[in-house]
Amino acid sequence: EAGVAQSPRYKIIEKRQSVAFWCNPISGHATLYWYQQILGQGPKLLIQFQNNGVVDDSQLPKDRFSAERLKGVDSTLKIQPAKLEDSAVYLCASSLVAWGEKSTEAFFGQGTRLTVV
Amino acid sequence: AQSVTQPDIHITVSEGASLELRCNYSYGATPYLFWYVQSPGQGLQLLLKYFSGDTLVQGIKGFEAEFKRSQSSFNLRKPSVHWSDAAEYFCAVGASGTYKYIFGTGTRLKVLA
């Protein structure tokens, strides 16, 4: 079974530039997550999709971050403009879940390491 | 609100020694609990999970964890650590209904030869 695919693996940009990350979840997984992991910290949820609808984006800095999930499959996360404090690993995860199912687990991609200089 | 606390930022053990990584959670209902491991430059790999039933859960790579509701804990254990276990370990709690996962800050494990 193919895992969660993310690209690019690494990205270096200057502050105030824009950047986009792409995620292809495991086939059939209804739920997709984007996490931000700053060095030395645990992953922090940015946004959670159920199919192509947003379930939770309470911690997404909406003035600069945006995300979409195309046709309930692939997803892109964009930062515009980037700040120095956005330097982190951006992890995408997916899980096979539908409303009412009791148990699931999230499968993670390898992440995109963003450095803002 | 949900939260996860991993009190130990760093732990160092000798190869062959036993290991216990602590995790405490705060959640109003029965939680879904997970332990993930992250090697340098890699994504997170699931070690084990607890949803219901037997409170002692077996995982991959010889790890196990015990859910103790009275202590709000889900500690990870391994009887004999291998050098390849050196990594960062994250405890996470999942909310039923929303399937939102909250992660702890992680424990970095160092293994001495």
Side-chain angles (χ1 to χ4, degrees), chain A residues 9-10 33 35 37 40-43 45 48 55-56 58-59 91 95 97-111 113, chain B residues 6 9 32 34 36 38 40-46 49 51-52 88 90-93 96-106 108:
Chain A
R9 286 295 311 276
Y10 305 92
Y33 311 84
Y35 283 87
Q37 186 177 18
Q41 299 182 18
L45 180 67
Q48 177 183 347
V55 174
D56 186 338
S58 58
Q59 298 195 86
L91 295 165
S95 63
V97 64
W99 293 109
E101 286 193 30
K102 294 185 68 177
S103 65
T104 187
E105 66 190 73
F107 295 84
F108 284 80
Q110 290 188 294
R113 182 176 297 277
Chain B
Q6 293 181 248
I9 299 174
Y32 300 150
F34 308 84
Y36 283 86
Q38 187 177 38
Q42 302 297 313
L44 285 87
Q45 180 185 23
L46 181 69
K49 60 190 176 185
F51 291 142
S52 63
E88 189 146 24
F90 293 94
C91 181
V93 61
S96 59
T98 65
Y99 305 103
K100 177 179 177 178
Y101 296 81
I102 303 297
F103 284 84
T105 51
R108 185 169 295 278

Side-chain angles (χ1 to χ4, degrees), chain B residues 65-113:
Chain B
E66 186 171 11
F67 171 57
K68 293 186 177 180
R69 184 189 302 275
S70 61
Q71 299 177 20
S72 297
S73 70
F74 189 57
N75 294 349
L76 181 71
R77 300 193 294 249
K78 187 170 185 178
S80 178
V81 171
H82 188 264
W83 64 267
S84 60
D85 293 325
E88 189 146 24
Y89 292 80
F90 293 94
C91 181
V93 61
S96 59
T98 65
Y99 305 103
K100 177 179 177 178
Y101 296 81
I102 303 297
F103 284 84
T105 51
T107 297
R108 185 169 295 278
L109 174 66
K110 182 177 180 180
V111 180
L112 301 176

Side-chain angles (χ1 to χ4, degrees), chain A residues 36 44-49 54-68 77-81 83 86, chain B residues 100:
Chain A
Q36 180 192 57
K44 181 184 83 171
L45 180 67
L46 291 176
I47 190 167
Q48 177 183 347
F49 292 94
V54 175
V55 174
D56 186 338
D57 63 357
S58 58
Q59 298 195 86
L60 186 74
K62 298 180 185 65
D63 58 334
R64 298 184 300 107
F65 285 65
S66 64
E68 62 178 359
L77 176 70
K78 296 179 182 178
I79 308 175
Q80 183 180 14
K83 293 185 176 181
D86 298 331
Chain B
K100 177 179 177 178

Side-chain angles (χ1 to χ4, degrees), chain B residues 30 50-57 67 69:
Chain B
T30 299
Y50 171 79
F51 291 142
S52 63
D54 193 348
T55 56
L56 184 62
V57 180
F67 171 57
R69 184 189 302 275

